[in-house]
Amino acid sequence: MIEFTQHPLLKPPTDEEILRLTETKAGSEELLKWHKSHEEAIISATNEPLKHGFDLDGWNRIKWGMSNYNEVLALGGNRSGKTTGCAKIVMQAVTESANGHIVCFSQNEDTSIKVQQAAVWEMMPREFKKKTKGIEGYINFSMQNGFTAKSFIFPDTKTRVDFKTYTQFSNNQSILEGFEFGFPSAVGFNVGAWLDEYLGDATLVDTLRFRLATRDSSMLIGFTPIDGYTPFIGDYAKGAETLETRKAELLNGRKLPVKQYSPNRDAAIVYLHSDENPFGGYDRIKKDLRGRSDEQILVRAYGYPVRSITALLPKFSTSVNVLTDEPNKYGHKLPDIRDRSKYTIYHVVDPAGARNFVSLWAAVDAQGLVYIVKEWPDRDTYGEWATFGDPKWKYGPASKKIGYDVKGYADLFKEIEQDMGIVAHERIGDSRYFARENENNVDLFQSFSDYDLDFIPSSGQMEKDGIVALDEWFEYNEDGNIDLANRPRCYISSECGNLIDSLINYQSNGKADEALKDFFDLIRYLRMANGGLGPDHFTNNSLESTKVGSGGY
């Protein structure tokens, strides 16, 4: 009996079909043609995966993104085929368009050689899988060392591909200066850069954007989001519009996005699911994830970044709690807080000796809704307070000490409030740091009071108590409509980027995320004001509180 080689995508005839076809001469000839076509397709796909290989659905989503946007964020589950698919798209660009220059980044030299370079070599046309040396091209590869000089030039198109590492860029951020990546005239995908398993902050991506602009080329970024909803992912995911969904088998058929548009970055976000790759050992992944939490399954099987596995406030949502001057999809926007009869203003400060002080301003209305409208130092002006890297979180440019003394901070706070048209009703300072006395036995309470800024001490309750209380501020029924009867109590201006990063990512993990703690402490001090009941609203003409209940709606 004729035998068909088993293949996960090519389906051979069933035994019943074979028996039926062999009953006649014409059927036998048809079966032989079927067998020949089947076997040749497998051999061709193995020998020439670039020309004759099979495209997974996830790869087609990446191609959709590359066809429509300059940046594609490809998030995938384990063994979903991200790297192979990206390598195929890169080599497709290399072989189709002339005089290009593509840069490929991997974590370190070892992963570059064994993963990224190996994937590109797999897609190399067979006729060039031998040492090729000439004036217009150079290709030399070994499994041990990768491409010679971490680079190759494809002879037919004179396109250069360089392989670099995130470690190299971290040690010397000038390694990309002077280069223009992409193609002057692309036939197909105008790929300029491919970042594989990228787990850094936005620094490298921001640098590459300027290197891609001249040739209007695209950047492809792919990884499994094992660290959850980081600021880098948040920059793309903020306000993302879901264009296409797919059912998740391991989550009882729950629909997950597989195509999204990022208006914040004018980019595509695509997701590659592990069960879409029949070559990736999905049955083993499925077995290993049995009994695991939904959050772990979302990340490992579907490449979906989950903030609840990295944050202390799982109900905090940038789409719900972060507001601008324009209404969001729920009809909510930041109010005008200058009317003192409608809003009571609170100012919170957390000092530091080796870094800048951090500060926020919040308004409370008669319904007990809290609007955090301003932070200092703000991310747009001073940059990130905490950056994601190695170690996991480190202090960013906004923390670098400017050198203000108490008078300098007092003048700054007064200027900010004057520009905002507000007057702080109550000021709260970190109880421990404000109580420290200087060489003249004067603490910060007295020092600020000398400049007409009177602070009261923050609550001395444990951090865990503040976290529980903050949960109440962000509590609402996620399955119901957000309206007057079902909504969180706390909202934050989109301009408070450092506070938002802290709320998304802080885990109270000691040194690992200490840099995120400062802004988290600010909102915690605010929440625990008034003996833990939270900040009150007071009418303009009296000090009568109009406080409502402390729980969520």
Side-chain angles (χ1 to χ4, degrees):
M1 178 179 269
I2 194 167
E3 291 187 5
F4 285 75
T5 302
Q6 293 297 312
H7 191 274
L9 293 178
L10 293 176
K11 300 303 180 185
T14 64
D15 291 343
E16 290 78 10
E17 287 175 318
I18 293 176
L19 287 173
R20 178 178 57 80
L21 289 169
T22 54
E23 289 177 353
T24 64
K25 181 179 179 181
S28 296
E29 291 176 352
E30 181 182 345
L31 181 61
L32 288 174
K33 290 180 181 179
W34 190 343
H35 179 262
K36 181 181 179 181
S37 175
H38 179 93
E39 298 301 310
E40 287 179 348
I42 294 175
I43 293 172
S44 296
T46 302
N47 293 337
E48 290 283 6
L50 180 63
K51 296 178 182 177
H52 304 298
F54 303 92
D55 281 355
L56 305 181
D57 289 343
W59 300 358
N60 290 325
R61 287 194 285 272
I62 297 175
K63 291 180 179 180
W64 162 80
M66 297 292 289
S67 299
N68 291 281
Y69 305 99
N70 285 333
E71 295 181 21
V72 178
L73 183 65
L75 302 175
N78 293 126
R79 306 297 302 159
S80 60
K82 299 182 304 297
T83 300
T84 304
C86 291
K88 187 170 186 177
I89 290 170
V90 166
M91 280 306 301
Q92 184 176 337
V94 168
T95 56
E96 287 180 345
S97 300
N99 302 310
H101 190 180
I102 299 175
V103 62
C104 302
F105 273 89
S106 188
Q107 187 63 40
N108 51 50
E109 185 174 0
D110 190 54
T111 58
S112 177
I113 293 171
K114 296 178 181 178
V115 180
Q116 191 175 46
Q117 293 183 49
V120 171
W121 177 250
E122 182 184 353
M123 294 296 165
M124 185 72 67
R126 193 173 187 182
E127 62 267 30
F128 294 103
K129 282 197 170 182
K130 59 188 177 187
K131 185 174 181 179
T132 303
K133 185 177 181 181
I135 296 175
E136 297 181 346
Y138 186 92
I139 302 173
N140 189 25
F141 178 87
S142 72
M143 295 302 293
Q144 178 67 27
N145 300 309
F147 289 97
T148 299
K150 312 307 175 199
S151 179
F152 72 86
I153 301 173
F154 193 72
D156 286 1
T157 61
K158 304 177 187 177
T159 290
R160 172 186 290 274
V161 178
D162 291 331
F163 296 92
K164 299 186 182 296
T165 70
Y166 305 131
T167 304
Q168 284 178 308
F169 179 78
S170 179
N171 293 334
N172 180 11
Q173 296 189 7
S174 66
I175 62 173
L176 300 178
E177 293 303 317
F179 290 107
E180 295 177 358
F181 298 115
F183 295 85
S185 181
V187 174
F189 300 125
N190 191 357
V191 182
W194 168 30
L195 281 62
D196 190 42
E197 294 300 339
Y198 186 60
L199 299 177
D201 59 21
T203 306
L204 173 58
V205 172
D206 288 342
T207 301
L208 280 170
R209 286 181 180 128
F210 290 102
R211 307 268 68 84
L212 303 175
T214 302
R215 295 182 173 182
D216 194 27
S217 57
S218 300
M219 176 162 40
L220 179 54
I221 308 167
F223 59 97
T224 299
I226 57 175
D227 288 299
Y229 197 94
T230 65
F232 178 75
I233 290 179
D235 196 32
Y236 285 88
K238 179 181 177 182
E241 302 170 9
T242 297
L243 306 177
E244 184 179 319
T245 62
R246 181 176 181 271
K247 290 183 178 180
E249 176 198 8
L250 301 183
L251 296 171
N252 299 316
R254 173 179 167 184
K255 289 185 177 181
L256 296 177
V258 289
K259 278 185 184 179
Q260 289 183 318
Y261 168 65
S262 167
N264 198 46
R265 290 257 40 108
D266 190 27
I269 307 173
V270 299
Y271 299 85
L272 286 75
H273 295 180
S274 298
D275 62 347
E276 292 182 292
N277 181 12
F279 306 97
Y282 173 68
D283 288 342
R284 175 61 182 270
I285 293 172
K286 180 179 179 180
K287 178 181 177 182
D288 290 342
L289 289 174
R290 189 176 300 147
R292 299 292 184 92
S293 67
D294 286 359
E295 289 80 6
Q296 290 174 302
I297 293 172
L298 281 166
V299 173
R300 294 294 184 179
Y302 301 105
Y304 195 79
V306 183
R307 93 176 29 88
S308 61
I309 61 173
T310 60
L312 296 176
L313 303 173
K315 284 295 185 74
F316 174 76
S317 166
T318 54
S319 63
V320 175
N321 301 102
V322 177
L323 302 180
T324 67
D325 292 332
E326 298 295 326
N328 62 13
K329 61 183 179 181
Y330 305 108
H332 301 157
K333 66 177 183 177
L334 281 176
D336 183 349
I337 63 168
R338 291 174 294 181
D339 188 339
R340 295 177 64 185
S341 67
K342 296 181 179 179
Y343 298 96
T344 302
I345 307 300
Y346 289 80
H347 177 211
V348 188
V349 173
D350 188 9
R355 298 178 299 279
N356 285 325
F357 288 15
V358 293
S359 185
L360 64 77
W361 284 262
V364 183
D365 68 9
Q367 296 174 297
L369 299 180
V370 179
Y371 299 92
I372 298 176
V373 294
K374 175 72 176 176
E375 70 177 14
W376 191 93
D378 62 283
R379 183 167 178 170
D380 288 344
T381 305
Y382 297 92
E384 298 164 309
W385 181 267
T387 59
F388 185 76
D390 185 17
K392 283 295 182 74
W393 291 95
K394 56 187 177 182
Y395 286 102
S399 68
K400 187 176 181 181
K401 196 169 183 179
I402 295 176
Y404 287 139
D405 56 10
V406 173
K407 181 180 183 303
Y409 278 112
D411 291 341
L412 171 70
F413 297 153
K414 291 176 182 178
E415 180 181 352
I416 289 173
E417 292 177 12
Q418 183 177 0
D419 290 343
M420 295 176 66
I422 61 174
V423 177
H425 167 79
E426 184 170 284
R427 303 183 194 275
I428 303 168
D430 175 16
S431 58
R432 289 174 296 178
Y433 201 102
F434 262 72
R436 295 181 186 177
E437 296 182 348
N438 61 20
E439 63 276 9
N440 298 318
N441 299 322
V442 178
D443 62 22
L444 280 179
F445 293 112
Q446 182 59 55
S447 296
F448 272 108
S449 182
D450 291 342
Y451 296 101
D452 300 320
L453 296 182
D454 295 316
F455 284 83
I456 64 171
S458 63
S459 168
Q461 296 188 53
M462 299 292 289
E463 181 182 64
K464 63 180 181 180
D465 297 323
I467 293 170
V468 171
L470 280 169
D471 276 331
E472 295 178 358
W473 269 8
F474 295 110
E475 175 61 34
Y476 70 100
N477 180 7
E478 294 176 287
D479 295 326
N481 295 324
I482 296 178
D483 52 28
L484 293 177
N486 177 46
R487 59 181 174 181
R489 288 189 55 205
C490 184
Y491 300 90
I492 300 170
S493 168
S494 62
E495 296 180 358
C496 298
N498 287 316
L499 174 61
I500 292 167
D501 282 353
S502 176
L503 294 180
I504 291 173
N505 297 291
Y506 180 59
Q507 303 176 66
S508 190
N509 275 344
K511 293 293 184 181
D513 62 356
E514 183 179 17
L516 292 165
K517 186 175 187 296
D518 301 287
F519 275 91
F520 193 92
D521 282 346
L522 287 176
I523 192 172
R524 182 167 61 87
Y525 297 156
L526 178 68
R527 175 61 186 90
M528 300 307 289
N530 192 25
L533 297 177
D536 279 333
H537 169 68
F538 294 89
T539 61
N540 188 34
N541 297 321
S542 74
L543 291 180
E544 180 182 355
S545 171
T546 58
K547 187 171 186 64
V548 295
S550 60
Y553 283 82

